[in-house]
Amino acid sequence: MDKPEILMSPGPTPVPPEVLLAQAQPLVYHRGPGYGALLREVTEGLQQIMKTSNDVLVFASSGTGGLESVVANLLSPSDRVVVPVAGYFGERFAKIAVAYGADVRTIDYAWGQAVRTDDVKAALDEAPAKAVFMQQSETSTGVIHDVEAVAAVVKEAGVLLAVDAVSSLGAVPYDGDGWGVDVTVGGSQKAFSATPGLAFVSVSPAAWEATKTATNPRFYFDWAAYKASYDLKNPENPFTPAISLMLGMRVALRRYLDEGVDNVLARHRILSAATKEGVRALGLDLFGEGREKAWAVTAVRAPEGIDGNELVAKVRADHSIILAPGQGPLKGKVFRIGHLGYYDRFDIIRCLAALELTLHSMGYPVKPGSGVAAAEQVFAARPAASADPTVR
Ligand SMILES: Cc1ncc(COP(=O)(O)O)c(C=O)c1O
């Protein structure tokens, strides 16, 4: 049957029709009050979700552009920067810093481990550093790093902290100003349920101060140019913005804020718990430290004798559901279920049912309905959707 495939990868995530329709609207000219109001609303919505009163800059780029902007604006060549690497995206932040000639001190973890504050402190004690770059959600392993705890030691050392929250912002609790984060990077295609193509970067006063002496080359991603344009009477971007994506993002943020930040987070927590219980009930092992905090993505070890990549391919071929395979050293060993963004409880139940059928067809012993039943028990323990909008 000709039905669209269902995304259950940790980004891009499904986009509500209302957001897609907004993107089909006529363009708003980008110099003038119409776009000014649009950019202001998107910026202020992001500030609410990042819990920051710092400037938030919006780029037409994927999340990686936002990460690159951090290196270009904060550092000078040979500045020392500490980068915990516990997966694919930690590696990426480190690689960008290397590409710009920074003196990169990685803290290397086995994939699946969480960053330890003591290690960050030790790396900062070893020699002066300009900044620490870390993920909140390391999407390749599902692990949530404790930004609050790391921020405390980084602040103590008087060093800047930049957080890649691309796959966690909006899905996992975040308190930019409360934790003292200098720079937060987000992307449109994850928990916000908008289409890919926008990156967001918040910049603290201390980070602005650092940009004044940082000499790395920058042009498209020059934060100061974005701030100067935003500060006009009608806020603008310095270059032609992705107007259609911004129209979609505005609707995505309205939906998000109408549901309510706390309610959206509660929904992610419950969907994550149900997914994990369902997977455990199938006799599969969850992967990574601090699993219960991994509200954005669940990483699962492929069972003995079954290749994770083949499993992902077969779920897609047989049931049109797109899970994510393992990356790097986890290739074939792990598969990942994304549940951040526009999902409800029946998305999880459908996904677990597809997993049961696929595992069965691959020779893994499955009691039909056992994963689904475990997930339903998680949902049943919560009030019904009609009684409690947080549990839709
Ligand atoms: C934690 C994290 N950082 C950075 C990125 C890179 O974002 P993009 O693919 O939008 O460049 C991703 C994308 O999956 C991510 O999950």
PDB file of all heavy atoms in Angstrom, residues 10-11 61-65 67 89 92 135 137-140 164-167 187 189-190, ligand 1:
ATOM      1  N   PRO A  10      16.054   9.753  15.484  1.00  0.00           N
ATOM      2  CA  PRO A  10      16.204  10.951  16.326  1.00  0.00           C
ATOM      3  C   PRO A  10      16.508  12.205  15.508  1.00  0.00           C
ATOM      4  O   PRO A  10      17.428  12.932  15.791  1.00  0.00           O
ATOM      5  CB  PRO A  10      17.355  10.567  17.259  1.00  0.00           C
ATOM      6  CG  PRO A  10      18.140   9.549  16.514  1.00  0.00           C
ATOM      7  CD  PRO A  10      17.212   8.848  15.571  1.00  0.00           C
ATOM      8  N   GLY A  11      15.772  12.432  14.490  1.00  0.00           N
ATOM      9  CA  GLY A  11      15.878  13.630  13.658  1.00  0.00           C
ATOM     10  C   GLY A  11      16.397  13.292  12.271  1.00  0.00           C
ATOM     11  O   GLY A  11      17.347  12.535  12.173  1.00  0.00           O
ATOM     12  N   SER A  61      20.843  27.158   8.364  1.00  0.00           N
ATOM     13  CA  SER A  61      21.861  26.101   8.254  1.00  0.00           C
ATOM     14  C   SER A  61      21.363  24.923   9.067  1.00  0.00           C
ATOM     15  O   SER A  61      20.413  25.058   9.844  1.00  0.00           O
ATOM     16  CB  SER A  61      23.216  26.557   8.815  1.00  0.00           C
ATOM     17  OG  SER A  61      23.289  26.364  10.208  1.00  0.00           O
ATOM     18  N   SER A  62      22.013  23.792   8.912  1.00  0.00           N
ATOM     19  CA  SER A  62      21.677  22.685   9.808  1.00  0.00           C
ATOM     20  C   SER A  62      22.382  22.935  11.145  1.00  0.00           C
ATOM     21  O   SER A  62      23.111  23.924  11.310  1.00  0.00           O
ATOM     22  CB  SER A  62      22.073  21.347   9.174  1.00  0.00           C
ATOM     23  OG  SER A  62      23.455  21.138   9.323  1.00  0.00           O
ATOM     24  N   GLY A  63      22.172  22.040  12.095  1.00  0.00           N
ATOM     25  CA  GLY A  63      22.744  22.226  13.429  1.00  0.00           C
ATOM     26  C   GLY A  63      24.253  22.372  13.408  1.00  0.00           C
ATOM     27  O   GLY A  63      24.833  23.132  14.199  1.00  0.00           O
ATOM     28  N   THR A  64      24.898  21.669  12.495  1.00  0.00           N
ATOM     29  CA  THR A  64      26.357  21.708  12.428  1.00  0.00           C
ATOM     30  C   THR A  64      26.856  23.128  12.143  1.00  0.00           C
ATOM     31  O   THR A  64      27.914  23.533  12.635  1.00  0.00           O
ATOM     32  CB  THR A  64      26.860  20.723  11.344  1.00  0.00           C
ATOM     33  OG1 THR A  64      26.321  19.429  11.665  1.00  0.00           O
ATOM     34  CG2 THR A  64      28.364  20.638  11.307  1.00  0.00           C
ATOM     35  N   GLY A  65      26.097  23.879  11.364  1.00  0.00           N
ATOM     36  CA  GLY A  65      26.459  25.285  11.129  1.00  0.00           C
ATOM     37  C   GLY A  65      26.489  26.059  12.441  1.00  0.00           C
ATOM     38  O   GLY A  65      27.378  26.889  12.675  1.00  0.00           O
ATOM     39  N   LEU A  67      27.147  24.793  15.348  1.00  0.00           N
ATOM     40  CA  LEU A  67      28.367  24.378  16.070  1.00  0.00           C
ATOM     41  C   LEU A  67      29.582  25.099  15.491  1.00  0.00           C
ATOM     42  O   LEU A  67      30.453  25.585  16.227  1.00  0.00           O
ATOM     43  CB  LEU A  67      28.574  22.859  15.963  1.00  0.00           C
ATOM     44  CG  LEU A  67      27.470  21.956  16.524  1.00  0.00           C
ATOM     45  CD1 LEU A  67      27.853  20.487  16.357  1.00  0.00           C
ATOM     46  CD2 LEU A  67      27.186  22.259  17.988  1.00  0.00           C
ATOM     47  N   PHE A  89      28.711  12.861  18.007  1.00  0.00           N
ATOM     48  CA  PHE A  89      28.566  14.318  17.965  1.00  0.00           C
ATOM     49  C   PHE A  89      29.601  15.031  18.824  1.00  0.00           C
ATOM     50  O   PHE A  89      29.967  16.169  18.526  1.00  0.00           O
ATOM     51  CB  PHE A  89      27.121  14.723  18.265  1.00  0.00           C
ATOM     52  CG  PHE A  89      26.227  14.271  17.149  1.00  0.00           C
ATOM     53  CD1 PHE A  89      25.459  13.119  17.273  1.00  0.00           C
ATOM     54  CD2 PHE A  89      26.217  14.929  15.940  1.00  0.00           C
ATOM     55  CE1 PHE A  89      24.682  12.656  16.208  1.00  0.00           C
ATOM     56  CE2 PHE A  89      25.460  14.478  14.862  1.00  0.00           C
ATOM     57  CZ  PHE A  89      24.687  13.335  14.995  1.00  0.00           C
ATOM     58  N   ARG A  92      32.272  15.285  16.465  1.00  0.00           N
ATOM     59  CA  ARG A  92      32.068  16.345  15.470  1.00  0.00           C
ATOM     60  C   ARG A  92      32.491  17.721  16.014  1.00  0.00           C
ATOM     61  O   ARG A  92      33.175  18.479  15.331  1.00  0.00           O
ATOM     62  CB  ARG A  92      30.605  16.396  15.018  1.00  0.00           C
ATOM     63  CG  ARG A  92      30.406  17.480  13.965  1.00  0.00           C
ATOM     64  CD  ARG A  92      29.078  17.423  13.299  1.00  0.00           C
ATOM     65  NE  ARG A  92      28.826  16.129  12.685  1.00  0.00           N
ATOM     66  CZ  ARG A  92      27.706  15.814  12.044  1.00  0.00           C
ATOM     67  NH1 ARG A  92      26.754  16.707  11.905  1.00  0.00           N
ATOM     68  NH2 ARG A  92      27.533  14.617  11.520  1.00  0.00           N
ATOM     69  N   GLN A 135      27.910  18.014  24.470  1.00  0.00           N
ATOM     70  CA  GLN A 135      26.521  17.750  24.086  1.00  0.00           C
ATOM     71  C   GLN A 135      25.663  17.692  25.350  1.00  0.00           C
ATOM     72  O   GLN A 135      26.183  17.353  26.413  1.00  0.00           O
ATOM     73  CB  GLN A 135      26.380  16.354  23.419  1.00  0.00           C
ATOM     74  CG  GLN A 135      26.772  16.273  21.973  1.00  0.00           C
ATOM     75  CD  GLN A 135      28.201  16.675  21.751  1.00  0.00           C
ATOM     76  OE1 GLN A 135      29.098  16.174  22.413  1.00  0.00           O
ATOM     77  NE2 GLN A 135      28.418  17.593  20.832  1.00  0.00           N
ATOM     78  N   SER A 137      22.438  15.923  24.735  1.00  0.00           N
ATOM     79  CA  SER A 137      22.065  14.571  24.316  1.00  0.00           C
ATOM     80  C   SER A 137      23.061  14.123  23.259  1.00  0.00           C
ATOM     81  O   SER A 137      23.165  14.741  22.207  1.00  0.00           O
ATOM     82  CB  SER A 137      20.656  14.579  23.731  1.00  0.00           C
ATOM     83  OG  SER A 137      20.402  13.391  23.028  1.00  0.00           O
ATOM     84  N   GLU A 138      23.816  13.078  23.564  1.00  0.00           N
ATOM     85  CA  GLU A 138      24.728  12.486  22.566  1.00  0.00           C
ATOM     86  C   GLU A 138      23.868  11.517  21.756  1.00  0.00           C
ATOM     87  O   GLU A 138      23.624  10.378  22.166  1.00  0.00           O
ATOM     88  CB  GLU A 138      25.909  11.798  23.274  1.00  0.00           C
ATOM     89  CG  GLU A 138      26.851  11.036  22.380  1.00  0.00           C
ATOM     90  CD  GLU A 138      27.292  11.759  21.108  1.00  0.00           C
ATOM     91  OE1 GLU A 138      28.184  12.624  21.147  1.00  0.00           O
ATOM     92  OE2 GLU A 138      26.728  11.407  20.047  1.00  0.00           O
ATOM     93  N   THR A 139      23.377  12.000  20.629  1.00  0.00           N
ATOM     94  CA  THR A 139      22.359  11.276  19.869  1.00  0.00           C
ATOM     95  C   THR A 139      22.812   9.880  19.442  1.00  0.00           C
ATOM     96  O   THR A 139      21.989   8.979  19.282  1.00  0.00           O
ATOM     97  CB  THR A 139      21.996  12.097  18.610  1.00  0.00           C
ATOM     98  OG1 THR A 139      22.000  13.484  18.957  1.00  0.00           O
ATOM     99  CG2 THR A 139      20.650  11.711  18.057  1.00  0.00           C
ATOM    100  N   SER A 140      24.098   9.705  19.247  1.00  0.00           N
ATOM    101  CA  SER A 140      24.579   8.397  18.767  1.00  0.00           C
ATOM    102  C   SER A 140      24.442   7.305  19.825  1.00  0.00           C
ATOM    103  O   SER A 140      24.423   6.125  19.494  1.00  0.00           O
ATOM    104  CB  SER A 140      26.039   8.501  18.317  1.00  0.00           C
ATOM    105  OG  SER A 140      26.862   8.887  19.399  1.00  0.00           O
ATOM    106  N   ASP A 164      25.942  21.762  22.834  1.00  0.00           N
ATOM    107  CA  ASP A 164      25.218  21.268  21.663  1.00  0.00           C
ATOM    108  C   ASP A 164      23.960  20.580  22.187  1.00  0.00           C
ATOM    109  O   ASP A 164      24.027  19.455  22.683  1.00  0.00           O
ATOM    110  CB  ASP A 164      26.134  20.295  20.905  1.00  0.00           C
ATOM    111  CG  ASP A 164      25.399  19.464  19.870  1.00  0.00           C
ATOM    112  OD1 ASP A 164      24.176  19.627  19.716  1.00  0.00           O
ATOM    113  OD2 ASP A 164      26.066  18.626  19.218  1.00  0.00           O
ATOM    114  N   ALA A 165      22.848  21.307  22.097  1.00  0.00           N
ATOM    115  CA  ALA A 165      21.579  20.746  22.577  1.00  0.00           C
ATOM    116  C   ALA A 165      20.678  20.433  21.385  1.00  0.00           C
ATOM    117  O   ALA A 165      19.446  20.434  21.501  1.00  0.00           O
ATOM    118  CB  ALA A 165      20.908  21.731  23.532  1.00  0.00           C
ATOM    119  N   VAL A 166      21.311  20.141  20.242  1.00  0.00           N
ATOM    120  CA  VAL A 166      20.549  19.977  18.994  1.00  0.00           C
ATOM    121  C   VAL A 166      19.466  18.904  19.158  1.00  0.00           C
ATOM    122  O   VAL A 166      18.325  19.104  18.751  1.00  0.00           O
ATOM    123  CB  VAL A 166      21.493  19.654  17.813  1.00  0.00           C
ATOM    124  CG1 VAL A 166      20.701  19.253  16.575  1.00  0.00           C
ATOM    125  CG2 VAL A 166      22.371  20.861  17.487  1.00  0.00           C
ATOM    126  N   SER A 167      19.807  17.779  19.773  1.00  0.00           N
ATOM    127  CA  SER A 167      18.802  16.709  19.848  1.00  0.00           C
ATOM    128  C   SER A 167      18.124  16.622  21.211  1.00  0.00           C
ATOM    129  O   SER A 167      17.418  15.656  21.469  1.00  0.00           O
ATOM    130  CB  SER A 167      19.426  15.358  19.485  1.00  0.00           C
ATOM    131  OG  SER A 167      20.295  14.931  20.516  1.00  0.00           O
ATOM    132  N   GLY A 187      18.543  22.968  16.870  1.00  0.00           N
ATOM    133  CA  GLY A 187      18.206  22.809  15.454  1.00  0.00           C
ATOM    134  C   GLY A 187      16.708  22.595  15.292  1.00  0.00           C
ATOM    135  O   GLY A 187      16.038  22.114  16.215  1.00  0.00           O
ATOM    136  N   GLN A 189      14.941  20.560  13.380  1.00  0.00           N
ATOM    137  CA  GLN A 189      14.368  19.290  12.917  1.00  0.00           C
ATOM    138  C   GLN A 189      14.221  18.223  13.988  1.00  0.00           C
ATOM    139  O   GLN A 189      14.000  17.070  13.679  1.00  0.00           O
ATOM    140  CB  GLN A 189      15.231  18.735  11.772  1.00  0.00           C
ATOM    141  CG  GLN A 189      16.530  18.031  12.181  1.00  0.00           C
ATOM    142  CD  GLN A 189      17.711  18.959  12.396  1.00  0.00           C
ATOM    143  OE1 GLN A 189      17.532  20.115  12.749  1.00  0.00           O
ATOM    144  NE2 GLN A 189      18.920  18.461  12.205  1.00  0.00           N
ATOM    145  N   LYS A 190      14.347  18.620  15.245  1.00  0.00           N
ATOM    146  CA  LYS A 190      14.310  17.609  16.306  1.00  0.00           C
ATOM    147  C   LYS A 190      13.023  17.766  17.125  1.00  0.00           C
ATOM    148  O   LYS A 190      11.953  17.552  16.605  1.00  0.00           O
ATOM    149  CB  LYS A 190      15.562  17.739  17.170  1.00  0.00           C
ATOM    150  CG  LYS A 190      16.867  17.724  16.360  1.00  0.00           C
ATOM    151  CD  LYS A 190      17.327  16.335  16.044  1.00  0.00           C
ATOM    152  CE  LYS A 190      18.719  16.366  15.419  1.00  0.00           C
ATOM    153  NZ  LYS A 190      19.218  15.070  15.073  1.00  0.00           N
TER     154      LYS A 190
HETATM  155  C1  LIG B   1      23.647  16.148  19.149  1.00  0.00           C
HETATM  156  C2  LIG B   1      23.691  16.590  17.723  1.00  0.00           C
HETATM  157  N1  LIG B   1      24.534  17.568  17.396  1.00  0.00           N
HETATM  158  C3  LIG B   1      24.643  18.019  16.144  1.00  0.00           C
HETATM  159  C4  LIG B   1      23.870  17.479  15.137  1.00  0.00           C
HETATM  160  C5  LIG B   1      24.088  17.962  13.764  1.00  0.00           C
HETATM  161  O1  LIG B   1      22.989  18.560  13.268  1.00  0.00           O
HETATM  162  P1  LIG B   1      22.758  18.641  11.696  1.00  0.00           P
HETATM  163  O2  LIG B   1      22.677  17.249  11.170  1.00  0.00           O
HETATM  164  O3  LIG B   1      21.456  19.380  11.675  1.00  0.00           O
HETATM  165  O4  LIG B   1      23.878  19.412  11.128  1.00  0.00           O
HETATM  166  C6  LIG B   1      22.963  16.457  15.417  1.00  0.00           C
HETATM  167  C7  LIG B   1      22.149  15.846  14.359  1.00  0.00           C
HETATM  168  O5  LIG B   1      21.674  14.744  14.435  1.00  0.00           O
HETATM  169  C8  LIG B   1      22.877  15.997  16.752  1.00  0.00           C
HETATM  170  O6  LIG B   1      22.038  15.015  17.071  1.00  0.00           O
END
